[in-house]
Amino acid sequence: MTGHYDEALICENGHLITSGARGDPGSTAKFCVRCGKPILGKCLKCEAPIRGRYIGTYYKGDGWDAKPVNRVARMRFIPNHCHECGEPYPWTKANAEALAALIDTLNELEPEEREQLRRSIPDIMADTPRSNVATVWLKRAFVKVGDEARNLLVDVLSKVATDAVKKNLGV
C-alpha cells in the first residue's frame, strides 16, 4: 500500500476543522466557528503541514489484473506535537497550562505534591517512560481531593492525557 497524508486544519484551541484540506479545499476557513481562534495548517516552528487523514492506494486482485483502489483512513487523533520537528502545537501548550492552573487550585494537596504533579504534566500528555509514575501521582491526588476537584481533574485529563494514562486512571 502506498499513500500520503492530507493536510489537517486545527484551531489554536485544538478544534479540528478538517482532516482533508487539500482534498476538499471548500472546507477551509481562517477562524474557528467554535471559539474564534485562528486556524493552523502548518507547524509554527518548521512550517511542516499538520498531518490529516491518510490516503492510500492498494491493489485488489492478483497479477496483471490487479486494480488500484483508493482508501481514505480517518484521522485517529489530533496531534500534540509536530511530526517533523517535535515542537508542541499551540493547543498542547494551552492544555498543559490549563492543567497546571487546575493543579494549583488543589489546596488539599501539599505544595510538594502539587509541584510533583506540575512536573508530571509532560508525562501525562505524552507516552514517556515516566507516564506510569505520573499516573501514580494522579491516583494519589484523586484520593486526597474532594469530589468537585476530582471531577474537574477527570474532565481536563479526558481531553489532554494519553490513552494509556486515561486507561490506567479509569478515565
Side-chain angles (χ1 to χ4, degrees):
M1 187 163 154
T2 60
H4 65 279
Y5 287 94
D6 203 329
E7 184 179 322
L9 297 178
I10 302 172
C11 85
E12 289 180 354
N13 278 333
H15 300 125
L16 177 65
I17 308 307
T18 181
S19 64
R22 280 183 262 159
D24 184 13
S27 64
T28 63
K30 291 184 180 181
F31 296 94
C32 180
V33 296
R34 292 177 66 191
C35 68
K37 289 288 187 181
I39 293 171
L40 306 173
K42 299 181 185 322
C43 172
L44 295 176
K45 181 178 179 186
C46 73
E47 297 189 359
I50 300 171
R51 284 184 169 175
R53 64 187 178 197
Y54 184 79
I55 302 167
T57 303
Y58 70 98
Y59 292 87
K60 190 172 184 175
D62 294 324
W64 291 101
D65 62 345
K67 305 263 190 258
V69 178
N70 285 334
R71 183 175 186 184
V72 177
R74 289 179 162 241
M75 197 171 162
R76 295 185 328 205
F77 59 89
I78 293 177
N80 287 332
H81 300 87
C82 174
H83 72 279
E84 195 67 33
C85 71
E87 180 75 9
Y89 287 119
W91 53 88
T92 306
K93 292 176 185 176
N95 285 332
E97 291 167 4
L99 184 54
L102 179 57
I103 289 168
D104 287 341
T105 68
L106 303 175
N107 295 326
E108 300 91 342
L109 301 178
E110 296 296 323
E112 301 82 29
E113 293 172 309
R114 288 194 300 269
E115 180 56 30
Q116 180 60 49
L117 278 177
R118 277 193 297 278
R119 284 195 311 265
S120 297
I121 290 172
D123 303 311
I124 293 166
M125 296 179 65
D127 289 322
T128 73
R130 295 193 48 85
S131 294
N132 287 336
V133 175
T135 302
V136 170
W137 283 102
L138 285 166
K139 285 182 178 181
R140 288 182 182 172
F142 283 178
V143 171
K144 291 187 174 189
V145 300
D147 288 341
E148 183 180 351
R150 184 175 27 260
N151 290 340
L152 285 171
L153 264 175
V154 166
D155 183 53
V156 171
L157 289 169
S158 70
K159 295 173 185 150
V160 303
T162 66
D163 290 339
V165 170
K166 289 189 272 191
K167 181 180 175 188
N168 288 335
L169 290 173
V171 174

